[in-house]
Amino acid sequence: MKKILSFCLVGLLLSGTKVFGQGDIDVEKILQAGVDDLNTYMGYYVEPAAKGFIYSMGTGWAHTAKTHSTLGFDLKFSVSGARVPARYENFTFDPSEYEKLRVKGSNGATSLPTLYGDPDASGTLEIYEEGMLIAEVDIPPGLDIPVKYVPAPTIQGAIGLPAGFELIGRFIPKVSVEDAEISQWGLGVKHDIKQHIPGIKILPFDLSILAAYNSLNAKYFIEEDMGQFGEMSLDTWTFQALVSKKLSILTVYGTVGYNTGSSTYDMLGTYSIEGTSESITDPVNLEYNAKGAMATLGARFKFGPVFLNGDYTFQEFNTVSVGLGVAIR
């Protein structure tokens, strides 16, 4: 069960990052503290990844405000990475929130690392039963990863419709990556609103609005033969106003809008409690929500039908996106 934490990191496999198998984390011992304490602790520990996915999946929808002409299209592959703010690298362990868990050597609130915290953090969690110490476990450190970003790749296509509309779709069929299964789909609509505003139709820029929904589901097999797996589900919405200006091969663009989303992380299956003959079924069920205003600045370079774009989104988890694709107007 050394991979018991891996369910919260399924999305990181999408970028090929090998972060699983933290063998020095004896997490199964935390199960001795009970489901409530385990969920409280894991809830804080996983939070930066859970919220980061919401923000990274809500970006990268547009690289120009101009809509395709009817049956014009583009297809691109992009990767977005949400930067984990420093305040999410640690969380406050408040003993009043736990029934059996305590931090050794501390009588009050203590700062502990999250998933994106210090990989060299050390310390001990104590588990008490009716006032007696029954187990100790090392505090889970942060992951040893080079950059504190939550990545999310997408495959996206768009097609022009009459009356200045454009339909955008995201789709990744169910695929297996390492010990994970991942699938994704999304749908967006962009509309040229410049055509409806008297007095600006002849001005040399493009103006549109966009609304889009994205869904991602992932499963990570902890011990497949024993029916133990982690499951992640994520849904996001974005609403944006876009403006862009084309200058030869360069298009500069910007957006303002609002992102909102939710994610769930579940650890499913039956797990033995170390040191006892008892077991727990489906021990972890976590839910997260994130929302807030956003603004994006970006640029696209187009060489014939091929384009390369990059942008930066200002939001709670600032996000970098890069994309490569082909477009035919």
Side-chain angles (χ1 to χ4, degrees):
M1 289 181 60
K2 67 180 181 180
K3 294 183 178 179
I4 202 168
L5 287 180
S6 300
F7 75 99
C8 66
L9 299 171
V10 170
L12 292 177
L13 276 176
L14 295 171
S15 64
T17 305
K18 183 66 177 177
V19 295
F20 298 103
Q22 304 297 303
D24 57 335
I25 303 177
D26 199 6
V27 180
E28 64 267 29
K29 284 188 177 180
I30 301 179
L31 290 169
Q32 297 179 70
V35 170
D36 290 342
D37 279 8
L38 177 63
N39 276 264
T40 300
Y41 192 96
M42 292 295 289
Y44 288 119
Y45 185 75
V46 175
E47 186 176 16
K51 289 188 174 181
F53 278 122
I54 293 173
Y55 286 112
S56 58
M57 293 299 298
T59 59
W61 281 95
H63 45 86
T64 176
K66 184 176 178 62
T67 56
H68 285 298
S69 58
T70 302
L71 298 184
F73 69 91
D74 69 67
L75 179 66
K76 75 167 183 174
F77 172 77
S78 65
V79 178
S80 298
R83 171 71 180 180
V84 176
R87 65 181 179 277
Y88 282 97
E89 294 180 18
N90 297 280
F91 72 94
T92 299
F93 181 98
D94 185 346
S96 66
E97 297 184 71
Y98 300 86
E99 181 182 356
K100 298 180 181 180
L101 274 182
R102 296 292 183 267
V103 176
K104 187 174 184 178
S106 175
N107 294 321
T110 306
S111 180
L112 298 181
T114 67
L115 189 68
Y116 279 80
D118 183 2
D120 297 319
S122 61
T124 303
L125 291 174
E126 297 179 324
I127 302 173
Y128 286 86
E129 180 77 54
E130 297 181 353
M132 296 183 60
L133 180 64
I134 61 171
E136 292 185 346
V137 57
D138 290 339
I139 288 173
L143 289 172
D144 188 9
I145 52 179
V147 292
K148 297 184 184 300
Y149 280 82
V150 184
T154 60
I155 298 173
Q156 178 176 303
I159 187 167
L161 302 175
F165 283 93
E166 180 177 302
L167 185 65
I168 307 169
R170 289 179 171 179
F171 182 68
I172 298 177
K174 184 180 290 187
V175 294
S176 296
V177 183
E178 302 263 335
D179 294 322
E181 291 181 353
I182 303 156
S183 62
Q184 178 195 14
W185 72 274
L187 192 64
V189 176
K190 186 166 69 174
H191 181 57
D192 173 16
I193 61 170
K194 182 181 175 184
Q195 62 182 318
H196 304 302
I197 305 176
I200 72 166
K201 293 181 181 180
I202 62 172
L203 296 180
F205 62 86
D206 295 292
L207 184 66
S208 62
I209 56 174
L210 179 148
Y213 168 80
N214 192 90
S215 176
L216 182 144
N217 292 280
K219 180 184 291 187
Y220 180 78
F221 296 100
I222 300 169
E223 294 290 348
E224 187 172 4
D225 293 341
M226 300 176 63
Q228 298 173 347
F229 62 94
E231 195 168 65
M232 179 184 77
S233 177
L234 180 146
D235 300 279
T236 65
W237 283 92
T238 187
F239 306 93
Q240 302 176 18
L242 306 91
V243 62
S244 68
K245 170 65 178 175
K246 188 176 185 299
L247 301 165
S248 184
I249 65 171
L250 170 67
T251 298
V252 292
Y253 59 93
T255 74
V256 292
Y258 192 83
N259 284 338
T260 183
S262 62
S263 60
T264 61
Y265 289 72
D266 301 315
M267 191 169 71
L268 306 175
T270 300
Y271 301 81
S272 299
I273 303 174
E274 185 171 304
T276 75
S277 59
E278 301 177 13
S279 61
I280 293 179
T281 300
D282 301 344
V284 177
N285 305 101
L286 307 176
E287 297 183 5
Y288 299 91
N289 295 281
K291 58 184 178 181
M294 53 81 72
T296 298
L297 293 175
R300 183 190 71 173
F301 294 90
K302 192 169 185 288
F303 307 93
V306 179
F307 69 86
L308 173 68
N309 79 287
D311 57 54
Y312 192 87
T313 299
F314 300 88
Q315 51 189 351
E316 184 183 15
F317 284 52
N318 293 336
T319 305
V320 177
S321 298
V322 293
L324 176 66
V326 294
I328 297 177
R329 290 289 172 189

